[in-house]
Amino acid sequence: MESLPATIPFVGPEALERMRGKPFELRMGANESAFGVSPLAAEAMCKAIERSAWYGDPEGYELREAVANLHGVAMDEVCLAGGIDELLGLTVRMLVEPGKPVVTSLGAYPTFNYHVEGYGAALHRVPYRDDHIDLQALADAAHQLKAKLVFLANPDNPMGTWHDADTVQAFIHALPSCTTLILDEAYTEFAPDAVHIPMDPNHPRVIRMRTFSKAHGMAGMRIGYAIAHRDLIVGYNKIRNHFGLTRVALAGALASLQDADFITQVASQVEAGRREYYALAEELGLASIPSATNFVAIDLGGSGGRARAALKALEDHGVFVRMPGVAPMDRCIRVTVGLPEERARFAEVFATVLKTL
Amino acid sequence: MESLPATIPFVGPEALERMRGKPFELRMGANESAFGVSPLAAEAMCKAIERSAWYGDPEGYELREAVANLHGVAMDEVCLAGGIDELLGLTVRMLVEPGKPVVTSLGAYPTFNYHVEGYGAALHRVPYRDDHIDLQALADAAHQLKAKLVFLANPDNPMGTWHDADTVQAFIHALPSCTTLILDEAYTEFAPDAVHIPMDPNHPRVIRMRTFSKAHGMAGMRIGYAIAHRDLIVGYNKIRNHFGLTRVALAGALASLQDADFITQVASQVEAGRREYYALAEELGLASIPSATNFVAIDLGGSGGRARAALKALEDHGVFVRMPGVAPMDRCIRVTVGLPEERARFAEVFATVLKTL
């Protein structure tokens, strides 16, 4: 424990606000949903507050049942947790002994790395290729290292790029039999149909992770789930914090699943927002990376310095965005799709900022 | 992981309801607060739901500040988490390597044991003495085993008994220098003044744990905190799930801390309820254990069989209570203080049930 660095995966926007001494005008840095929650979920959550003195069901029975029905899997192939962050920690703890190799991509989700290092496993990172996760390199590394775990977000964060279902299926088949794949699908609701892979919980070494934080607009409520082979779910149940979920999140998630129209509508608004960001970048003479998520990486060129300067200048103008942490992706800033009026304001501020770089 | 048993700390009341095919009429088994949350907390939580699309502050700055002010400690001596359950897991992970000895009491909080076993540490249990935690035996075991961690709930769960502050202070001094004490004070708001120990985060090996689940009535919202030496808090920050708390729980807890009158009033209603349970037991020719919590252990005599039969019969009559898991405390059932009308109904059902034993 003492050898662990005292670092955290992300500095929250609130901490940045405290440092700058005033709130942000636009919060477009954490891929939260500007489109909020389904009215059904809002109503269910308000109602659940009346019962907040009572522990939520530690089995999350109703929600697991709804998730299982949605995906055509069995209830004992579903594990609920406080978002994908918590699932990542549980998964590393469950599957990787200290010192054993784990593979991810250089520049991919820092919270996964945080958990891998926190449990003392050996993290290996392979570079992206053309702003995409390099599946061949991931599979090669898994073979060479006999990795216990491989992490793949599809669509990807922070670049927003994706691989089609067929490509990912081929990647799964290419992994060695000692390796379990975490397939983080946090942004799946924003992705084209060709990205969607059928659920196959009979596969003993693929864990699919979903969240209510993005399209469902419940980031502040901390709830998500894993779908996997029932043996893996038994493993989660041996170590998870059984009374860890709030009654309000359970109720909200259940209601949100019942409002598929809302999710469709959010996805369509996000798609419009992405197109606006692509057009804005083009107008400003910049490239942007086609995205299957609720954010767009805008390419400022250069080797990181320009994007970092833009990030800082945007912050000075009250706009919170983030950027990829490593080269060559750190030539980009990553901007979450806001409401139409927020996007208009961002366009204005960004144009001003660019002139000062 | 495979060697871990597929057990869980508690079967939730919802699971029991599913097994019996209908809901309980009275839920008096999980020491939840029948008196609900402060109106200020309810209002703050409803308001926070409007912002549920946005992650809560991972530093929990405002709540940590309020907790620090309340206890006269520094902010970096406070760690927030999803209730004491989560803090127990983090603490075992932080301080105990696999195979190392940990000491608790035989029959004390099962969730602590769950985490100790989950992290592969060696759990040693010392018996209670006269329905109280045996502090001398705990200290002796800590010395003999060179324990890394000792668990003490004061007031105790499941018996409701307590040790005065002076006795606990003497116990702290008696522990070996290799041992860290977890002092679980979940029920502290219900305890007499003589139980309250001043906060001393300068002590490097005492972790105080508090929750919003009991007197604050927020069991379903999952939030609590540890107060400890800042070096231990740095340790928690290296491994905790930084974005793990809900925005709603953070807002509710903050508001609840600002309503001290509400907590005083809950504690006084709980005290009235305890006295009613003592009187009920006496009327029925039974002993009860004086309690400093929001529940009372009622002594049915015999060696466990009678209490188990009563538990089952109560369940058949729609009343959910629990009982201590081991002898000799398993001669008791543990009944949470309900609302006056719920207590009256319990008295009625319990009298009926006793006649059938």
Side-chain angles (χ1 to χ4, degrees):
Chain A
M1 198 59 53
E2 271 157 33
S3 64
L4 280 180
T7 56
I8 55 172
F10 290 107
V11 177
E14 293 81 1
L16 297 172
E17 287 176 337
R18 285 187 289 271
M19 286 187 256
R20 66 196 292 272
K22 53 188 170 177
F24 287 115
E25 183 192 341
L26 295 179
R27 180 161 158 159
M28 293 177 157
N31 305 335
E32 294 152 323
S33 181
F35 308 96
V37 300
S38 149
L40 297 186
E43 193 190 334
M45 290 194 282
C46 277
K47 197 145 171 285
I49 287 207
E50 292 167 24
R51 297 276 301 159
S52 54
W54 309 86
Y55 291 105
D57 176 9
E59 298 183 2
Y61 192 94
E62 287 181 302
L63 180 56
R64 271 196 307 133
E65 190 177 45
V67 165
N69 288 341
L70 176 69
H71 295 291
V73 302
M75 278 181 71
D76 61 358
E77 294 162 341
V78 180
C79 178
L80 306 177
I84 290 179
D85 281 5
E86 186 178 18
L87 287 167
L88 294 175
L90 288 170
T91 307
V92 174
R93 181 179 164 198
M94 173 167 69
L95 295 177
V96 193
E97 297 89 57
K100 297 288 178 186
V102 170
V103 176
T104 186
S105 301
L106 180 62
Y109 194 47
T111 304
F112 177 68
N113 305 354
Y114 171 80
H115 289 303
V116 171
E117 286 165 353
Y119 284 105
L123 187 64
H124 297 264
R125 302 166 220 226
V126 306
Y128 280 59
R129 172 186 293 267
D130 299 332
D131 300 324
H132 286 67
I133 297 287
D134 186 343
L135 295 178
Q136 185 63 54
L138 278 182
D140 289 350
H143 278 278
Q144 280 156 28
L145 297 159
K146 302 200 196 325
K148 301 294 265 186
L149 208 54
V150 168
F151 177 81
L152 168 64
N154 193 47
D156 176 56
N157 175 19
M159 297 310 285
T161 52
W162 67 95
H163 291 291
D164 283 349
D166 290 350
T167 313
V168 175
Q169 297 273 33
F171 168 70
I172 291 171
H173 291 302
L175 287 173
S177 64
C178 60
T179 302
T180 299
L181 172 67
I182 294 177
L183 188 51
D184 173 347
E185 300 177 305
Y187 297 96
T188 194
E189 293 91 346
F190 306 116
D193 285 345
V195 171
H196 299 128
I197 305 171
M199 287 292 170
D200 175 19
N202 289 320
H203 195 300
R205 292 182 309 279
V206 175
I207 304 174
R208 310 280 291 267
M209 294 189 183
R210 299 288 179 99
T211 183
F212 290 90
S213 296
K214 303 303 174 187
H216 291 269
M218 289 175 58
M221 300 312 300
R222 314 313 305 128
I223 190 155
Y225 56 91
I227 292 180
H229 192 283
R230 51 171 54 83
D231 291 351
L232 289 165
I233 304 299
V234 167
Y236 284 129
N237 283 333
K238 288 180 177 183
I239 58 171
R240 73 184 179 89
N241 186 9
H242 285 263
F243 285 82
L245 293 175
T246 72
R247 174 173 281 273
V248 177
L250 286 164
L254 184 64
S256 195
L257 283 185
Q258 284 150 8
D259 196 354
D261 287 351
F262 174 80
I263 302 302
T264 308
Q265 180 227 318
V266 168
S268 127
Q269 291 184 270
V270 163
E271 201 184 347
R274 288 191 309 236
R275 274 188 265 111
E276 242 180 73
Y277 284 167
Y278 304 153
L280 170 68
E282 199 175 348
E283 252 176 63
L284 297 168
L286 301 172
S288 60
I289 318 294
S291 165
T293 67
N294 70 343
F295 59 86
V296 171
I298 298 178
D299 185 345
L300 294 177
S303 59
R306 247 172 89 78
R308 243 181 302 278
L311 204 74
K312 181 72 184 64
L314 284 167
E315 194 180 310
D316 292 342
H317 282 78
V319 178
F320 166 59
V321 302
R322 292 198 198 270
M323 61 180 285
V326 299
M329 291 96 76
D330 66 355
R331 68 193 194 282
C332 299
I333 60 168
R334 190 196 69 177
V335 190
T336 308
V337 171
L339 297 171
E341 59 273 25
E342 294 170 328
R343 293 172 340 226
R345 175 73 185 136
F346 171 75
E348 197 179 351
V349 175
F350 189 45
T352 310
V353 155
L354 274 184
K355 285 178 201 144
T356 69
L357 292 187
Chain B
M1 197 58 55
E2 272 159 29
S3 64
L4 280 180
T7 56
I8 56 172
F10 290 107
V11 177
E14 292 82 1
L16 297 172
E17 287 176 337
R18 284 187 289 272
M19 284 188 258
R20 66 195 293 271
K22 53 186 172 181
F24 287 115
E25 182 192 341
L26 296 178
R27 181 161 158 160
M28 292 177 158
N31 304 335
E32 295 152 323
S33 181
F35 308 97
V37 300
S38 149
L40 297 187
E43 194 190 335
M45 290 195 282
C46 277
K47 199 144 168 288
I49 287 204
E50 292 166 24
R51 298 276 300 159
S52 53
W54 310 87
Y55 290 106
D57 176 9
E59 298 183 1
Y61 192 94
E62 287 182 299
L63 180 57
R64 271 194 308 131
E65 190 177 46
V67 165
N69 288 341
L70 176 69
H71 294 293
V73 301
M75 278 181 72
D76 61 358
E77 294 163 340
V78 179
C79 178
L80 307 177
I84 290 180
D85 281 5
E86 185 177 20
L87 287 166
L88 293 175
L90 289 169
T91 306
V92 174
R93 181 179 164 198
M94 173 167 69
L95 296 177
V96 192
E97 297 90 57
K100 296 290 181 186
V102 170
V103 176
T104 185
S105 301
L106 180 62
Y109 194 48
T111 305
F112 177 67
N113 305 353
Y114 172 78
H115 289 303
V116 170
E117 286 165 352
Y119 284 106
L123 186 65
H124 296 265
R125 302 167 220 224
V126 306
Y128 279 59
R129 174 185 291 265
D130 299 334
D131 300 325
H132 286 66
I133 296 287
D134 187 342
L135 295 178
Q136 185 62 54
L138 278 183
D140 288 349
H143 278 278
Q144 279 157 29
L145 298 159
K146 301 200 195 325
K148 302 295 263 183
L149 208 55
V150 168
F151 177 81
L152 168 63
N154 193 44
D156 175 57
N157 175 19
M159 298 310 285
T161 53
W162 68 95
H163 291 290
D164 283 350
D166 291 349
T167 313
V168 175
Q169 296 275 34
F171 167 70
I172 290 171
H173 292 300
L175 287 174
S177 64
C178 60
T179 302
T180 299
L181 172 67
I182 294 178
L183 189 50
D184 172 347
E185 300 177 305
Y187 297 96
T188 194
E189 294 91 345
F190 306 115
D193 284 345
V195 172
H196 299 129
I197 304 171
M199 287 292 171
D200 176 17
N202 290 320
H203 195 299
R205 292 183 309 280
V206 175
I207 303 174
R208 310 280 290 265
M209 294 189 183
R210 300 290 179 98
T211 183
F212 290 90
S213 297
K214 304 302 175 186
H216 290 269
M218 290 173 58
M221 300 312 301
R222 313 314 303 129
I223 189 156
Y225 56 90
I227 292 180
H229 191 283
R230 50 172 56 83
D231 291 350
L232 288 166
I233 304 299
V234 167
Y236 284 129
N237 283 333
K238 288 179 179 184
I239 57 171
R240 73 183 179 90
N241 187 7
H242 285 264
F243 285 83
L245 293 175
T246 71
R247 174 174 281 273
V248 177
L250 287 165
L254 184 64
S256 194
L257 284 184
Q258 284 150 7
D259 196 353
D261 287 351
F262 175 79
I263 302 302
T264 308
Q265 180 226 318
V266 168
S268 124
Q269 291 184 271
V270 164
E271 199 184 347
R274 287 192 309 236
R275 273 188 265 114
E276 242 179 73
Y277 284 166
Y278 303 153
L280 171 68
E282 197 174 348
E283 253 175 61
L284 296 169
L286 301 172
S288 60
I289 318 292
S291 164
T293 66
N294 70 343
F295 59 85
V296 172
I298 298 178
D299 185 345
L300 295 176
S303 57
R306 248 174 89 79
R308 242 180 303 278
L311 204 74
K312 181 71 184 61
L314 284 167
E315 194 180 311
D316 291 343
H317 283 77
V319 179
F320 165 59
V321 301
R322 291 199 200 270
M323 60 179 286
V326 299
M329 289 95 78
D330 66 355
R331 67 193 195 282
C332 299
I333 60 168
R334 190 195 70 177
V335 190
T336 308
V337 170
L339 297 171
E341 58 273 26
E342 293 171 328
R343 292 171 343 224
R345 176 70 185 137
F346 171 75
E348 195 179 353
V349 175
F350 188 46
T352 309
V353 156
L354 274 184
K355 285 178 201 145
T356 69
L357 293 185

